[in-house]
Amino acid sequence: MKVSMIYMASGFGKRYGTNKLITEFRGEPLYLHGSVEQVPEAERFFNEDSDQGITASIKLGTEVAWDNADAYLYFVADQPCMAGETIARFVSEFMKSKKGIGCVCAKGHRGSPNIFRRRYKKELLALEGDQGGRQIMQKYPQEIWMMEVDERELKDIDQPADLTALRLELENT
């Protein structure tokens, strides 16, 4: 099985107040944490439509993905605790599931990463608005496979207070 990994690291950080992805976290920029270090080689593309939100990133990533991909894996750059091992297990177990859509969750709350089989490519490319793949998930709820992960792995950084709270939490564990 061939999976295109689409690492979404664009946006304006409106809620954060600045480019959060270059904010230092544990000695490195935020975007270098989580599962991205597990990717041995990657092509990078500039998203000229990043002001349109996550849907623009999904569409660009899907457009430039491998033509022969069996699935498209989307994950975000503002989840610094998402482990590469979790991503690998997620993809492996999803492919065994035979479902069309997969997402991680913690205590029943869905999060990123998400994965879609090739049969959803046209719908991924046709997404509108800033809701991302949720639109497709709402249309095909019976096709969703979910994998439970530790709550910390789903923590995303939207505001400076989120990063401060995460730092404190990690210091106290």
Side-chain angles (χ1 to χ4, degrees), residues 65-119:
W66 294 318
D67 289 335
N68 61 344
D70 296 301
Y72 307 96
L73 172 69
Y74 304 89
F75 53 113
V76 294
D78 65 352
Q79 287 180 309
C81 296
M82 179 56 66
E85 296 81 18
T86 301
I87 300 280
R89 184 170 54 94
F90 171 66
V91 171
S92 176
E93 292 182 21
F94 168 75
M95 294 310 246
K96 293 175 193 172
S97 78
K98 306 297 184 203
K99 293 281 189 172
I101 303 167
C103 67
V104 295
C105 65
K107 297 182 179 176
H109 298 285
R110 292 182 197 163
S112 179
N114 297 286
I115 191 167
F116 293 81
R117 292 199 190 263
R118 178 178 37 219
R119 66 180 175 250

Side-chain angles (χ1 to χ4, degrees), residues 58-59 62 74 116 120-127 136:
I58 291 170
K59 289 167 87 167
T62 306
Y74 304 89
F116 293 81
Y120 295 102
K121 184 175 183 175
K122 286 182 183 175
E123 290 180 75
L124 289 161
L125 291 171
L127 288 172
I136 299 171

Side-chain angles (χ1 to χ4, degrees), residues 40-61:
E41 55 187 69
E43 290 186 59
R44 286 165 176 80
F45 296 90
F46 180 73
N47 184 356
E48 294 180 11
D49 297 321
S50 61
D51 61 327
Q52 296 175 24
I54 196 166
T55 298
S57 295
I58 291 170
K59 289 167 87 167
L60 174 62

